[in-house]
Amino acid sequence: TTEATSTTDGSLQTDGGLSVAKDIVAGDDVKLLSDSAVLSFGADSEIQLIHVADDGLILKHTGTGDGKEPSLTFQAGDNDIAQDDVLGSIFFQAPDEGAGTDAVLVAAGIEAVSEGDFSSSSNATSLIFKTGASETATEKMRLKSDGKLGVGVTPTTQFHVLSSAAQSIATFAHPSSSTAAVNGGALVAIQNTNSTNNNQSSLVFNDSTGAASSGIFGFNVDHSSHEGFMKLCTRNSGGTFAERVRVQSG
Protein backbone atom coordinates (compact mmCIF):
# COMPACT_ATOMS: atom_id res chain seq x y z
CA THR A 1 0.00 0.00 0.00
CA THR A 2 3.03 2.28 -0.11
CA GLU A 3 2.77 5.02 -2.76
CA ALA A 4 5.72 5.44 -5.12
CA THR A 5 6.83 9.02 -5.76
CA SER A 6 10.32 8.36 -7.13
CA THR A 7 12.54 5.51 -8.31
CA THR A 8 13.69 4.76 -4.74
CA ASP A 9 10.46 4.24 -2.81
CA GLY A 10 7.28 2.20 -3.07
CA SER A 11 6.50 -1.43 -2.25
CA LEU A 12 8.59 -2.76 -5.16
CA GLN A 13 11.94 -1.33 -6.18
CA THR A 14 14.63 -2.43 -8.64
CA ASP A 15 17.97 -0.85 -9.50
CA GLY A 16 17.96 -2.39 -13.00
CA GLY A 17 15.54 -2.88 -15.85
CA LEU A 18 12.22 -4.64 -15.43
CA SER A 19 10.72 -7.05 -17.96
CA VAL A 20 7.13 -8.30 -17.70
CA ALA A 21 5.85 -10.98 -20.05
CA LYS A 22 2.14 -10.38 -19.45
CA ASP A 23 -0.21 -7.40 -19.21
CA ILE A 24 0.37 -4.73 -16.59
CA VAL A 25 -2.58 -3.25 -14.71
CA ALA A 26 -1.98 -0.12 -12.62
CA GLY A 27 -4.52 0.95 -10.01
CA ASP A 28 -3.42 4.59 -10.05
CA ASP A 29 -0.99 6.98 -11.74
CA VAL A 30 1.86 5.94 -14.05
CA LYS A 31 4.87 8.28 -14.10
CA LEU A 32 7.83 8.54 -16.45
CA LEU A 33 10.24 10.70 -14.50
CA SER A 34 13.01 11.29 -17.03
CA ASP A 35 13.00 14.17 -19.53
CA SER A 36 12.73 12.88 -23.10
CA ALA A 37 11.08 9.68 -21.82
CA VAL A 38 9.76 7.41 -24.59
CA LEU A 39 6.78 5.07 -24.72
CA SER A 40 7.27 2.59 -27.56
CA PHE A 41 4.53 0.51 -29.22
CA GLY A 42 4.71 -2.58 -31.42
CA ALA A 43 6.97 -5.61 -31.77
CA ASP A 44 9.51 -3.39 -33.55
CA SER A 45 8.87 -0.37 -31.28
CA GLU A 46 8.25 1.62 -34.45
CA ILE A 47 5.65 3.96 -32.92
CA GLN A 48 6.92 6.23 -30.18
CA LEU A 49 5.35 8.79 -27.87
CA ILE A 50 8.22 11.05 -26.87
CA HIS A 51 8.33 13.58 -24.05
CA VAL A 52 9.77 17.02 -24.91
CA ALA A 53 10.86 18.68 -21.66
CA ASP A 54 8.70 21.65 -20.63
CA ASP A 55 6.91 21.56 -23.99
CA GLY A 56 4.77 18.53 -24.79
CA LEU A 57 4.71 15.21 -26.63
CA ILE A 58 5.78 13.97 -30.06
CA LEU A 59 4.12 11.05 -31.85
CA LYS A 60 6.76 9.50 -34.12
CA HIS A 61 7.03 6.62 -36.57
CA THR A 62 10.66 5.47 -36.59
CA GLY A 63 10.46 3.88 -40.05
CA THR A 64 12.52 5.62 -42.74
CA GLY A 65 10.65 4.55 -45.90
CA ASP A 66 7.59 5.94 -47.68
CA GLY A 67 4.29 5.34 -45.92
CA LYS A 68 5.87 5.31 -42.47
CA GLU A 69 4.15 8.43 -41.16
CA PRO A 70 2.43 8.35 -37.73
CA SER A 71 -1.35 8.53 -37.50
CA LEU A 72 -3.79 9.10 -34.67
CA THR A 73 -7.34 7.77 -35.05
CA PHE A 74 -10.29 8.61 -32.84
CA GLN A 75 -12.74 5.67 -32.80
CA ALA A 76 -16.25 5.83 -31.35
CA GLY A 77 -17.47 2.53 -29.91
CA ASP A 78 -21.13 3.38 -30.60
CA ASN A 79 -22.54 0.62 -32.86
CA ASP A 80 -25.58 2.63 -33.99
CA ILE A 81 -24.51 6.09 -35.13
CA ALA A 82 -27.45 8.48 -35.51
CA GLN A 83 -27.72 12.08 -36.67
CA ASP A 84 -25.69 14.58 -34.57
CA ASP A 85 -23.72 11.87 -32.75
CA VAL A 86 -20.20 13.05 -31.89
CA LEU A 87 -17.51 10.68 -33.23
CA GLY A 88 -14.59 12.44 -31.58
CA SER A 89 -13.50 15.76 -30.08
CA ILE A 90 -10.41 17.82 -29.34
CA PHE A 91 -10.84 20.61 -26.78
CA PHE A 92 -8.56 23.40 -25.56
CA GLN A 93 -8.90 24.74 -22.02
CA ALA A 94 -6.97 26.54 -19.23
CA PRO A 95 -8.64 24.99 -16.15
CA ASP A 96 -6.06 26.36 -13.68
CA GLU A 97 -6.44 30.00 -14.76
CA GLY A 98 -6.70 32.07 -11.57
CA ALA A 99 -9.35 34.46 -12.89
CA GLY A 100 -11.94 31.68 -12.82
CA THR A 101 -15.46 31.90 -14.32
CA ASP A 102 -15.22 32.27 -18.12
CA ALA A 103 -11.43 31.92 -18.02
CA VAL A 104 -11.60 28.23 -17.06
CA LEU A 105 -14.24 27.22 -19.61
CA VAL A 106 -13.41 25.30 -22.79
CA ALA A 107 -11.99 28.01 -25.08
CA ALA A 108 -11.87 26.17 -28.40
CA GLY A 109 -12.54 22.79 -29.92
CA ILE A 110 -12.95 20.60 -32.99
CA GLU A 111 -15.65 17.94 -33.25
CA ALA A 112 -16.57 15.31 -35.83
CA VAL A 113 -20.38 15.06 -35.89
CA SER A 114 -22.53 12.69 -37.94
CA GLU A 115 -24.89 14.32 -40.43
CA GLY A 116 -27.36 11.44 -40.36
CA ASP A 117 -27.80 7.76 -39.54
CA PHE A 118 -24.78 5.74 -40.62
CA SER A 119 -25.50 2.87 -42.99
CA SER A 120 -23.73 0.52 -45.39
CA SER A 121 -23.72 3.37 -47.92
CA SER A 122 -23.25 6.47 -45.77
CA ASN A 123 -20.91 7.81 -43.11
CA ALA A 124 -21.55 11.52 -43.82
CA THR A 125 -19.80 13.59 -41.17
CA SER A 126 -19.15 17.29 -40.56
CA LEU A 127 -16.12 18.84 -38.90
CA ILE A 128 -17.25 21.57 -36.49
CA PHE A 129 -14.84 24.26 -35.29
CA LYS A 130 -15.70 25.94 -32.00
CA THR A 131 -14.31 29.04 -30.27
CA GLY A 132 -15.30 31.00 -27.17
CA ALA A 133 -15.29 34.72 -26.39
CA SER A 134 -16.99 34.87 -22.99
CA GLU A 135 -18.53 31.42 -23.02
CA THR A 136 -17.89 27.73 -23.38
CA ALA A 137 -16.72 27.41 -26.98
CA THR A 138 -19.55 27.21 -29.50
CA GLU A 139 -19.69 26.44 -33.21
CA LYS A 140 -18.29 29.15 -35.46
CA MET A 141 -17.41 27.20 -38.62
CA ARG A 142 -18.60 23.93 -40.19
CA LEU A 143 -17.11 21.83 -42.99
CA LYS A 144 -19.69 19.38 -44.34
CA SER A 145 -19.13 15.96 -45.88
CA ASP A 146 -19.81 17.31 -49.39
CA GLY A 147 -17.10 19.97 -49.02
CA LYS A 148 -19.44 22.89 -48.29
CA LEU A 149 -17.90 25.37 -45.82
CA GLY A 150 -20.02 27.56 -43.56
CA VAL A 151 -18.84 30.41 -41.33
CA GLY A 152 -21.51 31.37 -38.82
CA VAL A 153 -24.05 29.13 -40.55
CA THR A 154 -24.65 25.55 -41.67
CA PRO A 155 -23.73 25.90 -45.36
CA THR A 156 -26.17 25.36 -48.22
CA THR A 157 -23.69 26.51 -50.89
CA GLN A 158 -20.03 25.68 -51.45
CA PHE A 159 -18.93 28.69 -49.37
CA HIS A 160 -21.55 30.24 -47.09
CA VAL A 161 -20.95 33.13 -44.66
CA LEU A 162 -23.48 34.64 -42.24
CA SER A 163 -22.64 37.53 -39.92
CA SER A 164 -25.34 38.85 -37.60
CA ALA A 165 -23.02 41.32 -35.89
CA ALA A 166 -20.57 42.92 -38.31
CA GLN A 167 -21.83 44.68 -41.44
CA SER A 168 -18.53 44.02 -43.21
CA ILE A 169 -18.66 40.32 -44.05
CA ALA A 170 -15.47 39.77 -46.01
CA THR A 171 -12.34 41.67 -46.98
CA PHE A 172 -9.92 40.68 -49.75
CA ALA A 173 -6.64 42.56 -49.49
CA HIS A 174 -3.23 42.48 -51.16
CA PRO A 175 -0.40 45.05 -50.84
CA SER A 176 0.07 45.38 -54.61
CA SER A 177 1.74 48.42 -56.21
CA SER A 178 0.74 47.33 -59.73
CA THR A 179 -0.70 50.00 -62.03
CA ALA A 180 -1.49 47.59 -64.88
CA ALA A 181 -4.71 48.30 -66.76
CA VAL A 182 -5.65 44.61 -66.68
CA ASN A 183 -5.16 42.19 -63.76
CA GLY A 184 -3.45 44.85 -61.68
CA GLY A 185 -3.67 45.60 -57.98
CA ALA A 186 -5.61 43.37 -55.62
CA LEU A 187 -7.39 40.82 -57.80
CA VAL A 188 -10.54 38.78 -57.18
CA ALA A 189 -11.23 36.33 -60.03
CA ILE A 190 -14.48 34.48 -60.79
CA GLN A 191 -13.74 31.72 -63.28
CA ASN A 192 -15.99 29.31 -65.18
CA THR A 193 -13.70 26.35 -65.90
CA ASN A 194 -16.04 24.88 -68.54
CA SER A 195 -14.76 25.71 -72.05
CA THR A 196 -18.15 25.99 -73.78
CA ASN A 197 -18.36 29.27 -75.68
CA ASN A 198 -20.93 31.83 -74.49
CA ASN A 199 -21.08 30.42 -70.96
CA GLN A 200 -20.92 32.84 -68.05
CA SER A 201 -19.64 33.73 -64.60
CA SER A 202 -22.03 35.60 -62.32
CA LEU A 203 -22.19 37.87 -59.32
CA VAL A 204 -25.78 37.82 -58.04
CA PHE A 205 -27.38 39.91 -55.30
CA ASN A 206 -30.18 38.14 -53.40
CA ASP A 207 -32.92 39.46 -51.12
CA SER A 208 -33.82 37.99 -47.72
CA THR A 209 -35.79 35.15 -49.34
CA GLY A 210 -32.82 34.08 -51.47
CA ALA A 211 -34.28 35.38 -54.74
CA ALA A 212 -32.06 37.35 -57.09
CA SER A 213 -32.86 41.08 -57.16
CA SER A 214 -29.93 42.11 -59.36
CA GLY A 215 -26.76 40.72 -60.84
CA ILE A 216 -23.66 41.17 -62.98
CA PHE A 217 -23.03 38.49 -65.60
CA GLY A 218 -19.80 38.07 -67.52
CA PHE A 219 -20.14 36.02 -70.73
CA ASN A 220 -17.22 34.09 -72.24
CA VAL A 221 -17.95 34.50 -75.95
CA ASP A 222 -14.85 32.67 -77.18
CA HIS A 223 -12.48 30.86 -74.83
CA SER A 224 -9.69 30.70 -77.40
CA SER A 225 -9.58 34.48 -77.99
CA HIS A 226 -10.87 35.32 -74.48
CA GLU A 227 -13.55 37.61 -75.95
CA GLY A 228 -16.37 38.49 -73.60
CA PHE A 229 -19.16 40.91 -72.75
CA MET A 230 -21.02 41.90 -69.58
CA LYS A 231 -24.70 42.24 -68.67
CA LEU A 232 -26.20 44.12 -65.73
CA CYS A 233 -29.59 42.75 -64.72
CA THR A 234 -32.26 43.82 -62.23
CA ARG A 235 -35.71 42.60 -61.16
CA ASN A 236 -38.59 45.09 -61.54
CA SER A 237 -41.65 45.47 -59.29
CA GLY A 238 -43.53 43.04 -61.51
CA GLY A 239 -41.03 40.30 -60.72
CA THR A 240 -39.25 40.20 -64.08
CA PHE A 241 -35.50 39.68 -63.88
CA ALA A 242 -33.93 40.99 -67.07
CA GLU A 243 -30.96 42.68 -68.70
CA ARG A 244 -30.85 46.47 -68.29
CA VAL A 245 -27.32 47.36 -69.44
CA ARG A 246 -24.85 45.56 -71.71
CA VAL A 247 -21.14 46.26 -72.14
CA GLN A 248 -19.98 44.80 -75.45
CA SER A 249 -16.57 43.33 -76.17
CA GLY A 250 -15.58 46.18 -78.44
Side-chain angles (χ1 to χ4, degrees):
T1 59
T2 303
E3 293 282 2
T5 58
S6 70
T7 58
T8 59
D9 59 12
S11 299
L12 176 65
Q13 302 169 36
T14 176
D15 293 330
L18 176 67
S19 298
V20 180
K22 297 292 186 179
D23 295 345
I24 296 175
V25 177
D28 207 340
D29 298 339
V30 175
K31 295 184 179 181
L32 303 180
L33 295 180
S34 63
D35 285 343
S36 303
V38 178
L39 277 176
S40 298
F41 302 87
D44 298 324
S45 298
E46 75 279 6
I47 302 299
Q48 296 181 340
L49 192 61
I50 305 169
H51 171 245
V52 180
D54 302 319
D55 189 16
L57 296 172
I58 295 173
L59 180 64
K60 180 180 180 180
H61 193 307
T62 61
T64 58
D66 291 342
K68 300 298 184 182
E69 70 285 343
S71 66
L72 183 64
T73 302
F74 288 64
Q75 294 185 338
D78 188 345
N79 60 9
D80 187 15
I81 299 296
Q83 183 172 349
D84 296 325
D85 280 351
V86 178
L87 305 183
S89 308
I90 301 174
F91 293 116
F92 304 89
Q93 186 177 16
D96 300 323
E97 163 60 46
T101 318
D102 288 351
V104 300
L105 299 176
V106 171
I110 304 171
E111 287 187 336
V113 179
S114 62
E115 295 176 5
D117 291 350
F118 275 23
S119 69
S120 60
S121 60
S122 176
N123 65 343
T125 300
S126 293
L127 274 182
I128 296 176
F129 298 83
K130 299 183 174 185
T131 57
S134 180
E135 57 183 335
T136 297
T138 58
E139 177 180 343
K140 302 301 190 298
M141 185 171 70
R142 179 180 294 237
L143 178 61
K144 294 187 64 178
S145 61
D146 57 5
K148 291 184 176 70
L149 179 64
V151 179
V153 65
T154 298
T156 57
T157 56
Q158 205 62 33
F159 182 47
H160 193 168
V161 179
L162 175 64
S163 174
S164 58
Q167 184 177 5
S168 297
I169 297 173
T171 300
F172 301 91
H174 187 282
S176 174
S177 60
S178 172
T179 59
V182 179
N183 293 337
L187 176 66
V188 177
I190 302 176
Q191 180 181 11
N192 187 333
T193 58
N194 184 283
S195 60
T196 302
N197 286 340
N198 293 309
N199 63 8
Q200 61 184 299
S201 298
S202 309
L203 183 62
V204 178
F205 304 92
N206 292 346
D207 61 22
S208 61
T209 69
S213 58
S214 60
I216 303 171
F217 302 87
F219 284 79
N220 304 300
V221 176
D222 189 327
H223 289 266
S224 60
S225 66
H226 316 303
E227 179 188 358
F229 69 91
M230 181 178 292
K231 295 196 306 185
L232 278 68
C233 301
T234 60
R235 189 184 303 277
N236 62 23
S237 59
T240 301
F241 189 86
E243 175 184 345
R244 312 300 176 187
V245 177
R246 178 178 294 211
V247 182
Q248 296 285 14
S249 60

